[in-house]
Amino acid sequence: MALLRLKDVSLAFGMAPLLDHADLVIESQERLCLIGRNGAGKSTLLKVCAGEIKPDGGEISKGRGLKMAYLPQELPERGDASVRSVVAEGLAEVGEWLAAYDALTQQGEGANVAELERLHNKIETHDGWRLRQKVEAVMQRLELPGDKSIAELSGGWRRRVFLARALVQEPNLLMLDEPTNHLDIDMITWLEEELLQFGGSVLFISHDRAFIDRLATRVIELDRGKLSSWPAPYEAYLAKKEEQLAAEEKEWERFDKKLADEEVWIRQGIKARRTRNEGRVRALKKLREERRQRRDRVGQVSLKVDSEERSGNLVAELKNVCFGYADSPNLVKDLSWQLMRKDRVGLLGPNGCGKSTFIKLILGGLEPTEGDIKRGSRLQVAYFDQLRGQIDPEASVWDNVAKGKDFIEVGGRNVHVTGYLKDFLFSPERLRTPAKALSGGEVNRLLLAKLFTMPANFLVLDEPTNDLDMDTLDLLENLLAEFEGTILLVSHDRSFIDNVVTSTLVFEGDGNITEYPGGYNDWLAQRPVVKADAKPAEPKAQAAKPKTASDGGKTAKLSYKLQRELDALPREIERLEAEVAAMQEEVSAADFYSRPHEDVNRALTALAELEQTLEKTMERWMELEEMAGGG
């Protein structure tokens, strides 16, 4: 039985409806990823499902026993409230009674005894003491500091607190709006594991392709007010969507030709002053109305970086560099490293480890406390700031880019501001909007538009992917692939890192920074082995290569049959990895999607099955290693 069903649901705040007779069915134990362009109405749809917004029309039916929990993109302010009290809010009024009871008991002898007794009885009547144990259990599982105030926590830890508040409700439908925003990679992989263990259904919005591929059992797209269902993983959705858009384009071409032919006929009829077929005239009017109401797919961002000259071969050279602050003395410790022209380097590490500080050292905004930094010649830097400091929130979209002028110089030619900003999906009506009224995705697009008016041979990008939709992410990747200068990138989007950089600088703690060739997944394969008592930060399927029994693993606990199985598994994993790599190379070929769609579907299905087999084989190897005492 469906948990939640939307039928023929419509909702509009302006001329174009966000939901246009949309349909959606959510079954039990599904994990649905909702995708769509920035501004398409994804967050609004979640609020409709959660009951926070009432649609203009249509029907919303809930399955028997449905219990929903909703984690919004923008977390509410909770001031100095303790973590424990915020988590307990998930218990509704029982949580309020528990918080009031705790506050009274902390008053000691001055507490109102009668009020304490009243609260005690209400809590006991509503099974509140058991529910309190549930709050403690969830906080323990999520490793939350119950006595700390929310104000003391970083954005990532606050998001974990509000997730705990949702989980204590024991929902069977959990709705999450951009849950990975501003989380570092360790936190994202932790969240993946939590959601994989969650027993209910999940409806989530995300633009993180690795996160989607790890979790989603189905992809739901909101496009021009309509909802459509697609297969997971994301690559399978892309292939199917491309087929659908091609078919739609052909249908529109036939429609437009028919409309043009009918327009010619009616003009000829007027000129000849002859009696017209009234049925044909009515049909033409209907065609015109259909064309007027047809919602064309929103255009795509057009990105191009212009560079007037090449930098010198050396961009930056660090010799025995150290840097820190009073409260974090070892952000960088004894680092010697060179950044050369055309290097494309990603910075990896948890929030607060010093990545943004490192960028300031490279650019000259900070100087090292020890050691020397030599910076290259002829550098033209375009800096995408994590805090978006280059955007004036009070100024309009137009003025942020052109400072009141009608024309700006881009690539050696003058272009009108309206046409230039149209390439970044800003409509003429939106150009006079102050930046403070823009969505997160729009602010990022505005900053990209501003940066790309500047000639650059050195791009420094500090978390450019936050809030960008899939199409803009793909186009930004293509731009960076074609860029002939140097790139320094901070991102927690694992797929984006893999697709852009040629090496990674990993902040490994205590000021130690190590360079690894390749992207994020290459680092996973090369990183030092995690100690047995350390908590793993990555999914099991991404663990390091397995060792055989001859590598020193203890096998005394295994039977002869299981020992033989364990000995054979490393070779089987290597074989599967080779097959997966070969198939991934095949589907990444430029002409892959030009094949007959039956062949494309067959190859994608085979790849998905191979990847699933590899993951299960890895899990079996890890299980046997643990049994043998060698894990």
Side-chain angles (χ1 to χ4, degrees), residues 152-176:
E152 296 178 70
L153 302 182
S154 67
W157 279 95
R158 288 182 68 235
R159 190 161 292 276
R160 188 182 285 208
V161 171
F162 281 92
L163 177 63
R165 186 178 74 162
L167 291 175
V168 297
Q169 300 175 45
E170 297 182 342
N172 47 19
L173 175 57
L174 181 60
M175 292 178 289
L176 308 172

Side-chain angles (χ1 to χ4, degrees), residues 1 147 177 226 285 325 337 340 352 380 512 552 565 585:
M1 179 180 175
D147 296 327
D177 192 348
K226 300 291 188 183
K285 288 181 178 178
Y325 299 104
W337 177 70
M340 306 300 291
Q380 298 172 314
N512 297 310
E565 182 184 358
E585 184 176 352

Side-chain angles (χ1 to χ4, degrees), residues 8 26 74 81 149-150 304 330 438 471 482 516 518 555 577:
D8 210 27
I26 302 176
E74 297 298 329
S149 73
I150 286 289
K304 188 178 190 306
N330 286 329
L438 301 179
D471 288 345
E482 296 169 2
Y516 295 85
T555 58
E577 285 179 331

Side-chain angles (χ1 to χ4, degrees), residues 10 16-17 41 53 66 74 102 105 122 186 213 229 237 264 268 300 390 420 434 467 539-540 602 607:
S10 296
I53 294 179
L66 174 64
E74 297 298 329
D102 288 342
T105 55
K122 289 176 76 72
D186 286 346
D213 285 344
S229 177
Y237 149 75
V264 170
Q268 288 174 341
Q300 293 190 333
Q390 294 125 301
Y420 177 70
D467 302 310
K540 292 178 181 177
R602 193 179 302 116
L607 175 58

Side-chain angles (χ1 to χ4, degrees), residues 140-406:
Q140 184 176 1
R141 191 171 95 229
L142 274 59
E143 301 179 353
L144 294 174
D147 296 327
K148 276 196 172 185
S149 73
I150 286 289
E152 296 178 70
L153 302 182
S154 67
W157 279 95
R158 288 182 68 235
R159 190 161 292 276
R160 188 182 285 208
V161 171
F162 281 92
L163 177 63
R165 186 178 74 162
L167 291 175
V168 297
Q169 300 175 45
E170 297 182 342
N172 47 19
L173 175 57
L174 181 60
M175 292 178 289
L176 308 172
D177 192 348
E178 294 279 12
T180 63
N181 258 10
H182 310 294
L183 299 188
D184 59 37
I185 291 177
D186 286 346
M187 194 77 83
I188 291 171
T189 52
W190 166 86
L191 179 59
E192 287 174 351
E193 294 298 334
E194 283 295 316
L195 295 179
L196 285 170
Q197 295 172 27
F198 177 63
S201 295
V202 184
L203 175 63
F204 66 98
I205 298 171
S206 181
H207 299 139
D208 184 324
R209 289 154 294 183
F211 187 77
I212 294 170
D213 285 344
R214 180 97 173 119
L215 291 176
T217 57
R218 191 154 55 103
V219 174
I220 304 296
E221 183 183 36
L222 178 56
D223 181 13
R224 293 161 286 176
K226 300 291 188 183
L227 288 169
S228 53
S229 177
W230 303 87
Y234 182 68
E235 288 296 330
Y237 149 75
L238 282 181
K240 291 290 186 182
K241 182 65 177 179
E242 193 64 34
E243 293 175 12
Q244 188 245 15
L245 288 176
E248 182 181 81
E249 188 173 345
K250 288 182 180 178
E251 178 62 28
W252 284 3
E253 285 176 0
R254 288 192 293 268
F255 179 94
D256 290 344
K257 184 178 185 304
K258 182 178 180 182
L259 175 58
D261 291 343
E262 292 300 288
E263 291 284 6
V264 170
W265 169 81
I266 198 167
R267 284 196 298 273
Q268 288 174 341
I270 292 171
K271 185 177 179 181
R273 295 182 181 277
R274 64 173 178 259
T275 303
R276 299 187 299 270
N277 182 314
E278 293 301 324
R280 193 169 179 182
V281 172
R282 287 194 296 272
L284 173 58
K285 288 181 178 178
K286 185 179 179 182
L287 286 174
R288 287 174 176 168
E289 179 63 17
E290 284 183 32
R291 181 62 186 88
R292 187 182 69 81
Q293 295 207 7
R294 186 171 80 195
R295 298 178 65 186
D296 292 340
R297 183 168 173 82
V298 179
Q300 293 190 333
V301 179
S302 176
L303 305 179
K304 188 178 190 306
V305 176
D306 181 50
S307 178
E308 289 184 351
E309 62 173 331
R310 299 193 332 181
S311 68
N313 284 330
L314 178 70
V315 175
E317 182 176 24
L318 286 68
K319 290 185 177 179
N320 306 113
V321 165
C322 297
F323 186 84
Y325 299 104
D327 57 345
S328 303
N330 286 329
L331 290 177
V332 181
K333 186 169 68 177
D334 197 28
L335 176 63
S336 296
W337 177 70
Q338 284 187 333
L339 180 65
M340 306 300 291
R341 182 167 61 85
K342 290 194 175 184
D343 282 352
R344 313 160 75 84
V345 181
L347 306 184
L348 293 180
N351 288 334
C353 70
K355 300 186 295 297
S356 296
T357 297
F358 181 81
I359 285 175
K360 291 176 183 176
L361 287 169
I362 295 292
L363 297 181
L366 293 171
E367 292 297 334
T369 52
E370 294 182 35
D372 297 303
I373 299 179
K374 179 182 178 182
R375 299 178 183 92
S377 61
R378 301 191 303 277
L379 291 179
Q380 298 172 314
V381 180
Y383 179 27
F384 189 101
D385 176 16
Q386 177 186 3
L387 301 177
R388 316 301 181 246
Q390 294 125 301
I391 297 297
D392 180 354
E394 301 299 329
S396 67
V397 171
W398 185 300
D399 288 339
N400 262 292
V401 170
K403 296 181 180 177
K405 295 183 292 185
D406 290 338

Side-chain angles (χ1 to χ4, degrees), residues 50-98:
E52 293 192 1
I53 294 179
K54 187 176 180 180
D56 299 331
E59 179 184 343
I60 300 177
S61 55
K62 300 176 181 178
R64 184 176 300 173
L66 174 64
K67 192 172 183 180
M68 294 184 290
Y70 171 49
L71 180 68
Q73 183 176 354
E74 297 298 329
L75 300 178
E77 292 294 334
R78 302 301 295 122
D80 292 328
S82 71
V83 168
R84 181 173 285 102
S85 65
V86 172
V87 175
E89 287 173 3
L91 303 177
E93 59 182 9
V94 176
E96 295 175 9
W97 299 335
L98 287 167

